[in-house]
Amino acid sequence: MPERTLLLRLLKTHWHGCNYLLAEPTFFTVIDTFPIEWIFPIRQGRSVQQVGRKGRDKGGVGVKLCWLLNQAGRVVAWDWNTLQVHDQCCNPLVRPFIG
């Protein structure tokens, strides 16, 4: 696994290749969010390249990863945002699969 900053740079440049690995939705497709805390709140703002911001629940700094999973546990769609956003910000991720 590459270092966190290298991983983020790679994901930023190669995100379009991830779409080839996505699975098809099934009848039992679920959506869930997963908070990823990167640094402690006391270290917030020390870097100009900081991606995440302070969240509400734990007070950490990081991102929230949103998964849309089919019944086999394979990823159908995904998105990410900063920790302070509400889980309902992932609702547009579901719209293409309604019906």
Side-chain angles (χ1 to χ4, degrees):
M1 185 82 171
E3 184 186 3
R4 177 184 58 87
T5 56
L6 175 62
L7 177 65
L8 287 176
R9 284 193 303 261
L10 289 172
L11 287 174
K12 188 175 183 179
T13 57
H14 300 290
W15 67 269
H16 58 280
C18 294
N19 292 336
Y20 295 112
L21 303 173
L22 296 177
E24 292 295 319
T26 57
F27 182 73
F28 293 108
T29 302
V30 296
I31 188 169
D32 196 13
T33 59
F34 184 74
I36 302 171
E37 188 174 324
W38 284 337
I39 59 175
F40 292 112
I42 198 165
R43 298 192 186 277
Q44 180 182 7
R46 290 190 182 182
S47 173
V48 294
Q49 297 177 346
Q50 181 175 315
V51 176
R53 289 199 293 177
K54 188 174 181 179
R56 292 183 187 165
D57 55 352
K58 292 183 181 179
V61 177
V63 296
K64 187 179 287 190
L65 190 58
C66 181
W67 303 90
L68 192 62
L69 303 171
N70 65 9
Q71 69 185 20
R74 295 187 179 123
V75 178
V76 176
W78 64 278
D79 194 12
W80 68 276
N81 212 329
T82 56
L83 268 180
Q84 84 278 4
V85 297
H86 196 271
D87 286 349
Q88 291 179 353
C89 75
C90 297
N91 287 346
L93 188 65
V94 180
R95 285 193 186 117
F97 302 105
I98 292 177

